[in-house]
Amino acid sequence: MKTIDELLAEGVAGKRVFVRADLNVPLDGTTITDDGRIRAVRPTIAALAEAGARVVVASHLGRPKGTPDPAFSLAPAAARLGELLGTEVAFATDTVGESARATVAGLTDGQVAVIENLRFNPGETSKDDAERGAFADQLAELADVYVGDGFGAVHRKHASVYDLPARLPHAAGGLIATEVGVLKKLTEDVARPYAVVLGGAKVSDKLGVIDHLLEKADRILIGGGMAYTFLKAKGHEVGISLLQEDQVPAVQGYLKRAEELGVEFVLPVDVLVAGEFPDLKTKAPAHPTTVAADAIPADQEGLDIGPETRKLYAAKLADAATVFWNGPMGVFEHPDYAEGTKAVAQALVDSEAFSVVGGGDSAAAVRILGFDENAFGHISTGGGASLEYLEGKTLPGLAALED
């Protein structure tokens, strides 16, 4: 896999370099609420521009279903990228149309442009190879060289991720190189004890990674909405908490395998509950109560791990040498349910472990909750991509960058 350093050494001055970035940032209207992914790809774009390349940045944002939708425009991301680069960034209002062609043609050496959301074109995500390939052909007309640096999308067999590199000389950007290097530390010659913290809403999203990590981890801590399927699998009442009833047998199987392998599964011992989901817009006080994890009332919903669980999880992380964390412990967007996620983040900060925070929600949480990103070993930009890598899957976007 050619690196961007090798590409820069060959010279890119005057060349149109297509950078497949991941600018899929959360928006509140047109306001970016977390610019972490833009900041992560900035070094690659800046290095190319400083070397005299004419940089064409492309990305998806959200799921606009193959048609233009102003709610998913990349215009705010382009503006923020310009602020971070300290220079004007041109913006094309389409992907491969008249605006894109004119914008790219108007670039001079060292200038940067962003084209509109790739998913505004149905060819980007099409499952039909010919349709996807046709869109990749159009994208290829905008560039001389391809740089893949959108790690958050490399698990997708999409035109700009998988098909386009085959049509242009290509290299991996600095962000992808860093992400792959970090993930290798979680899968090859891992420093032990190795603890994994998994949260988020759905246990079904994490089954593959649990299956793979059972062979590698020393202990697995469970929180978030997925914890209630685990508690149900242990025979506990979970009230009106988020539950994937159909996954209970699979979870029971993993718990049994973990016991056989000597892997410690750590579940909540207490949880914060309420009769309804909190209002995340007004952040009105929710007045939760704390109950034992095996005593959730039938009319209550678990929304965060409780104080005893926070202490337990901090203790289980204190001696770890390696930690992978994916998924918040509760509804961290509301202050009444943020303490569990905050406690896990603080435990990683306090430990001497090589800590990797993976997943958009986890990465956003540490920033929103006021933690210094440099206090963690690595904050990943790829949620699904990181999980699929840890599952041992071949990622199309990485395979496409191999020589």
Side-chain angles (χ1 to χ4, degrees), residues 53 68 205 213 290 332 349 360:
D205 293 341
L213 289 176
T290 301
F332 73 91
V349 170

Side-chain angles (χ1 to χ4, degrees), residues 148-181:
D149 214 27
F151 183 75
V154 293
H155 59 314
R156 305 295 188 189
K157 193 176 181 181
H158 290 169
S160 66
V161 176
Y162 179 76
D163 302 272
L164 185 55
R167 289 157 167 79
L168 295 169
H170 51 266
L175 175 60
I176 278 186
T178 298
E179 293 277 9
V180 172

